[in-house]
């Protein structure tokens, strides 16, 4: 997949896109990144990219001209899914990330200041938010989107890792607790069941812990989760009933 980002602060992307799993995927040719400075397309003699809002109010608004020219130069009319990072967009979810992971090309537009001139929206296919809060710019949200989508692209994660066996994936539950060596850390013991090599018992324990964690931390997820009759009995034994 090729991912292009349109930004006023390209230097913010120098670390995250080229480190760890994303860096490895780039080296292996699975991901290709382009980061483009919107300011380079400003026709204004001071290379300004923002101006006061019509109608008044605090803050500056990103002007259409540099963004239109940058988008047109980057895509060159070639097919791409064009995404605007904005707090008013639909919230990023694993199922949406999985859908984007099937695309050959994403172009991600990031805003700054008060946001962008509304006419820029005609360049955009999807408006996406990373949550109900406002950040100073769309760069961090774009990095979150890229990381989240990349995990669903075959080959990005190592063969020992899976994007499907995680919190919120498939069954809609939170993940069970994980432990590693030592089995006894300053008197704090790893649950016995994980040490005995009985995989049926381990799987049962993990499922129950996953149900319990979800009940404790995010009970609202249970109503949309994929629950078996056994899960429902287990949850009912812990005081949860469907419809809560
Ligand atoms: N005035 C805008 C509003 O109230 O919705 C907020 C603008 S924000 C300060 C500047 C830029 O940060 C936005 O244009 C967007 O690109 C990005 N941004 C901020 N919060 C975001 C979020 N939760 N999800 C996605 N992008 C966000």
């Amino acid at each position: 997949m090729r991912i292009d980002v349109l930004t006023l602060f390209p230097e913010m992307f120098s670390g995250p896109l080229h480190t760890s799993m994303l860096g490895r995927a780039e080296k292996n040719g699975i991901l290709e990144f382009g980061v483009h400075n919107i300011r380079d397309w400003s026709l204004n003699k001071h290379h300004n990219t923002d101006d006061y809002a019509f109608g008044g109010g605090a803050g500056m608004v990103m002007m259409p001209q540099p963004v239109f020219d940058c988008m047109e130069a980057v895509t060159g009319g070639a097919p791409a899914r064009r995404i605007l990072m904005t707090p008013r967009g639909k919230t990023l979810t694993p199922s949406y990330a999985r859908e984007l992971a099937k695309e050959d090309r994403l172009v991600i537009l990031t805003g700054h200041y008060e946001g962008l001139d509304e006419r820029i929206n005609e360049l955009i296919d999807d408006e996406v938010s990373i949550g109900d809060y406002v950040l100073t710019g769309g760069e961090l949200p774009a990095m979150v989107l890229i990381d989240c989508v990349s995990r669903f692209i075959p080959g990005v994660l190592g063969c020992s890792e899976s994007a499907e066996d995680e919190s919120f994936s498939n069954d809609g539950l939170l993940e069970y607790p994980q432990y590693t060596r030592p089995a006894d850390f300053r008197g704090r013991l790893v649950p016995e069941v994980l040490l005995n090599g009985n995989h049926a018992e381990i799987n049962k324990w993990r499922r129950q812990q996953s149900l319990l964690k979800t009940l404790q931390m995010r009970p609202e997820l249970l109503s949309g989760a994929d629950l078996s009759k056994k899960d429902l009995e287990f949850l009912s034994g812990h005081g949860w009933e469907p419809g809560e």
Side-chain angles (χ1 to χ4, degrees):
M1 179 191 278
R2 169 144 184 120
I3 303 177
D4 290 284
V5 183
L6 279 49
T7 171
L8 289 173
F9 298 94
E11 63 277 15
M12 286 181 74
F13 291 86
S14 58
L17 298 189
H18 311 293
T19 312
S20 183
M21 310 270 184
L22 297 187
R24 190 178 65 190
E26 188 187 29
K27 260 196 206 114
N28 293 341
I30 300 169
L31 290 173
E32 190 179 291
F33 299 113
V35 180
H36 311 272
N37 192 340
I38 296 168
R39 198 174 299 283
D40 291 344
W41 275 269
S42 172
L43 297 177
N44 180 295
K45 74 171 175 192
H46 301 295
H47 294 291
N48 288 343
T49 54
D50 56 289
D51 209 332
Y52 295 102
F54 278 123
M60 306 297 276
V61 176
M62 286 173 66
M63 298 186 290
Q65 177 273 315
V67 178
F68 266 74
D69 286 355
C70 182
M71 181 67 90
E72 282 158 10
V74 167
T75 61
R81 184 95 167 243
R82 295 163 306 172
I83 295 166
L84 170 65
M85 303 313 302
T86 166
R88 76 180 183 195
K90 66 173 162 191
T91 309
L92 177 60
T93 61
S95 57
Y96 176 62
R98 221 178 264 129
E99 179 192 324
L100 290 185
K102 294 184 190 133
E103 299 282 349
D104 292 328
R105 186 161 185 205
L106 301 181
V107 178
I108 305 175
L109 173 58
T110 63
H112 234 89
Y113 318 118
E114 271 311 297
L116 303 101
D117 185 293
E118 190 67 18
R119 290 165 289 185
I120 286 167
N121 260 51
E122 74 182 67
L123 298 173
I124 294 302
D125 299 306
D126 302 18
E127 296 184 55
V128 181
S129 163
I130 60 161
D132 291 345
Y133 41 80
V134 174
L135 303 177
T136 53
E139 286 75 16
L140 291 172
M143 291 179 218
V144 169
L145 178 79
I146 292 169
D147 191 293
C148 183
V149 170
S150 299
R151 291 172 52 82
F152 292 107
I153 298 174
V156 169
L157 299 182
C159 45
S160 61
E161 305 125 350
S162 162
E164 302 303 333
D165 186 22
E166 303 272 27
S167 295
F168 313 112
S169 286
N170 291 334
D171 56 14
L173 298 173
L174 300 183
E175 195 181 57
Y176 47 80
Q178 302 271 18
Y179 295 89
T180 185
R181 280 184 282 189
D184 179 346
F185 175 68
R186 300 181 185 170
R188 295 153 179 92
L189 302 181
V190 168
E192 188 64 34
V193 63
L194 298 177
L195 307 175
N196 66 18
N198 181 333
H199 289 286
E201 283 297 306
I202 291 171
N203 288 341
K204 181 175 167 202
W205 180 86
R206 285 183 165 167
R207 182 71 185 177
Q208 292 182 344
Q209 290 296 312
S210 188
L211 292 165
L212 275 181
K213 273 278 170 228
T214 312
L215 180 61
Q216 286 161 3
M217 310 296 291
R218 298 285 305 275
E220 79 282 6
L221 293 177
L222 288 172
S223 53
D226 189 7
L227 301 175
S228 66
K229 197 162 163 262
K230 266 198 185 140
D231 294 336
L232 290 168
E233 280 165 13
F234 178 78
L235 284 167
S236 152
H238 286 82
W240 182 82
E241 293 304 330
E244 274 183 36

